[in-house]
Structure formats: structure tokens, C-alpha cells
Amino acid sequence: MTAPTRPLNRLVTHFFDRAARAYDQAALQRIAYRPPQDEMLRELRAAGSRRIADIGCGTGIFTTRLLRELEPEAIYGIDLSEGMLEQARARSGEVTWLHSRAESLPFVDGELDAVVTTSAFHFFDQPAAVAEFRRVLMPDGLAAVATMHPKTRLGQLLMDGPLGVAHWPTPAEVRKLFGDLDFEVVAQRRVHRPIPEWLVPDVITVGRKRY
């Protein structure tokens, strides 16, 4: 499946190319990124997933953690930012790092048993990305998305903005999107953080590809 790249996402990718080194700061990782990654890891371990793709992998911290803790048969880190991937490749030579959009993944149909994405789904063309997740998953494969919940009108304005760089969907929107694309939603819950949840109100949604 192919999908057009949204013009302003080129600006986002350029930003992340430049910001890649800052993402490895321990405080930023602990507060912003590790909590949803912990949730994802628990889901993958419970599912016994063995062929996993981490979409929007950034500098590869979570991807290499999956390699270390789950010891899967195959692990892929996918990102559109070459700057992020440069950092990721330096982190591990055992992960297969791939430069690709979420909406056009470099896998054959049914190649994977799990696709996960944390802190990146808001930048995707979401219907195209979830359709692509379904294509590359085997029957009963797991797709898990962690994304911020826009709780207020102000949040929607700040997050989406007049330029449309990103869209944070509500939990109901993610659940409907999964259902429309023939996933069974098996879990949806808040991500627990070491800071007040209203500051970063994100939600994990887990779906299984129907046969």
C-alpha cells in the first residue's frame, strides 16, 4: 500500500533529523517515552510475539530493549528520519533498521506477528497506516498504538493547529479505526506515568487482526 506524504511532515522529519541526539537524554526518556514502551512490552510478552516491527522507532532505544528482553526471531525498527536511524544503527547492529513511512511498510503480506508504535501515531496518515499494519500482520497478529488523548478543545487546537502537522485521535476514534479495518480491539487503557496524567494523557490501544 502506498500513501502520499503530507507536505508538512517533511518539516517534522527535518526537525527530528536535527533533534535525534536530544532524544537519548535519560530524563526525557523516563518521563515522556518509557511509560508507553513499558505497556507495549507487556503486551508483546503476553502475546509471545516473535516477528516485531517498531514503527517510528526514533533512535532505537525501545527497539533494542525489545531485542534484549524478548529475544524475538526478527526485530525491525522503522523511521522516516535518517538522523534518528543514524543514532539507532550506532546503538545496535542486531536490529534491522529500515527507512520507511508507516503508510508503506517494506514487508510482504502477513510477514509479522506484531506491529507497535509509541509517541509517533499522531504524525501518520492514520487510516493508511492501520491498513498497512493489517496487511503486514499474519492472522491474529497484534497491532498496538500509544497516542495522546486530546481531552480539551484547547488541546485539539494546540495539537492539530491550523497547519495540520499532527492529529491526536481520541480513544473512540482509534477504536473505530481499528474496527473499520477488521481488527478486534482487545484492550484500551490509560498509560500510567510518574507525572500527573493530565499533563500527558495518553492511551494504549491493542488490536488483533481478524482472520
Side-chain angles (χ1 to χ4, degrees):
M1 171 178 289
T2 60
T5 302
R6 290 183 291 171
L8 283 170
N9 276 7
R10 298 191 192 98
L11 298 179
V12 173
T13 301
H14 180 68
F15 167 79
F16 283 120
D17 286 345
R18 290 180 171 272
R21 294 184 185 279
Y23 270 66
D24 288 352
Q25 294 182 7
L28 179 63
Q29 287 295 323
R30 184 175 64 254
I31 293 171
Y33 297 111
R34 190 173 179 100
Q37 292 168 2
D38 289 345
E39 300 273 359
M40 291 292 184
L41 181 61
R42 281 192 286 271
E43 292 292 337
L44 292 169
R45 181 176 283 121
S49 302
R50 304 301 299 156
R51 301 183 62 83
I52 304 165
D54 179 17
I55 314 299
C57 66
T59 62
I61 291 176
F62 182 48
T63 323
T64 53
R65 183 184 174 195
L66 293 177
L67 173 69
R68 182 175 63 253
E69 297 193 25
L70 298 182
E71 300 182 341
E73 295 173 12
I75 181 74
Y76 303 93
I78 313 294
D79 209 279
L80 193 57
S81 165
E82 284 288 9
M84 290 288 188
L85 289 174
E86 181 181 357
Q87 295 288 103
R89 292 185 185 106
R91 187 180 303 282
S92 174
E94 298 180 66
V95 175
T96 301
W97 306 106
L98 298 169
H99 180 252
S100 177
R101 293 182 291 127
E103 302 87 354
S104 183
L105 295 172
F107 303 107
V108 301
D109 295 1
E111 184 173 350
L112 306 174
D113 62 10
V115 174
V116 298
T117 183
T118 60
S119 308
F121 191 62
H122 47 281
F123 291 125
F124 301 163
D125 177 333
Q126 292 157 15
V130 175
E132 189 69 344
F133 297 170
R134 187 184 192 285
R135 181 187 69 79
V136 303
L137 284 171
M138 63 179 62
D140 203 39
L142 179 149
V145 169
T147 188
M148 192 176 297
H149 176 11
K151 297 181 67 174
T152 65
R153 290 185 179 274
L154 176 61
Q156 285 278 14
L157 176 63
L158 292 175
M159 293 172 187
D160 292 334
L163 299 178
V165 174
H167 172 64
W168 276 261
T170 66
E173 287 177 317
V174 179
R175 181 178 286 274
K176 182 178 186 304
L177 180 58
F178 271 46
D180 288 347
L181 290 163
D182 209 24
F183 281 93
E184 177 189 1
V185 175
V186 295
Q188 189 175 66
R189 61 182 180 273
R190 289 284 299 273
V191 173
H192 297 291
R193 293 180 171 276
I195 58 175
E197 291 183 354
W198 61 266
L199 287 174
V200 189
D202 47 353
V203 173
I204 181 173
T205 303
V206 183
R208 287 282 192 175
K209 177 181 173 178
R210 294 192 176 98
Y211 288 89

